[in-house]
Amino acid sequence: RRSGRANHSDTTITALATNTPNRRQSSPHGVTAAHWIRDLWTSYAAGRPGVTVELVAHASTSQPSVRLTIPGSTLASEYVLLGGHEDSTASGCSSNPNCVAPGADDNASGIATVSEVARVVLAHGFEPQRTVQPIAFAAEEVGLEGSDDIAATYLAAGTDVVAVLQQDMTGYNGSVEDMALISD
């Protein structure tokens, strides 16, 4: 923070954790959160030709994922994904659509990280060589439904995903593990 003012990440975390009682994938609140993220990212993309923001529907959940696409210049067929999950849950949420599960750390903080990267690179006119896609994945808390669906779609289409950086619980204080690397 500078000068005691909240930064953009703090504002995003606060909005996601307080605008609805939860972001559960099967509740109307989960859909509302996805639309809020889409609108936030659309505001970041304003005035950037070729940059798109879209909701990605999934057959297994009413909550859509949100995908922002910054087209690549020289290696546009290669994709770099920056993701985080948008849903939240808590004990007792499976049967109560209005349960309280603000999920500030899990995972409003991850979405805030992804959002801040998108905001900064778009504000500074970043033109990547590869296509860059920040994605807010739906329905992670119930089994990676949104990310699995998008991965399967990319695999079936032969999309060349060269890197993925997943942001989960970036605001969580207390883990002994700062970063985990997974090779596929």
Side-chain angles (χ1 to χ4, degrees):
R1 292 187 180 182
R2 295 182 202 166
S3 306
R5 295 182 309 188
N7 64 36
H8 293 277
S9 291
D10 290 344
T11 302
T12 300
I13 292 169
T14 300
L16 286 170
T18 61
N19 286 350
T20 60
N22 65 66
R23 296 181 308 283
R24 205 172 109 245
Q25 55 86 26
S26 62
S27 79
H29 308 302
V31 174
T32 298
H35 286 235
W36 185 87
I37 294 165
R38 179 209 49 206
D39 295 346
L40 178 68
W41 291 2
T42 298
S43 74
Y44 296 162
R48 283 293 304 269
V51 175
T52 60
V53 180
E54 63 185 321
L55 295 174
V56 180
H58 305 289
S60 62
T61 179
S62 59
Q63 183 181 48
S65 293
V66 184
R67 179 171 51 208
L68 186 151
T69 301
I70 306 169
S73 57
T74 59
L75 300 168
S77 65
E78 295 182 4
Y79 284 70
V80 174
L81 310 182
L82 176 63
H85 71 90
E86 63 196 13
D87 59 324
S88 67
T89 193
S91 179
C93 274
S94 62
S95 61
N96 178 2
N98 292 311
C99 70
V100 177
D105 63 345
D106 188 14
N107 191 36
S109 64
I111 292 299
T113 300
V114 173
S115 297
E116 186 63 1
V117 170
R119 184 188 72 78
V120 170
V121 300
L122 290 169
H124 291 280
F126 175 61
E127 294 183 18
Q129 288 184 309
R130 292 171 177 84
T131 297
V132 175
Q133 289 186 320
I135 303 175
F137 293 111
E140 184 269 353
E141 294 288 1
V142 294
L144 307 176
E145 292 182 15
S147 58
D148 278 352
D149 186 41
I150 289 173
T153 300
Y154 284 10
L155 181 62
T159 303
D160 187 8
V161 177
V162 298
V164 177
L165 180 61
Q166 178 68 15
Q167 303 295 309
D168 196 355
M169 297 178 65
T170 58
Y172 179 69
N173 185 11
S175 174
V176 296
E177 186 175 65
D178 290 330
M179 180 181 287
L181 300 176
I182 301 169
S183 176
D184 180 7

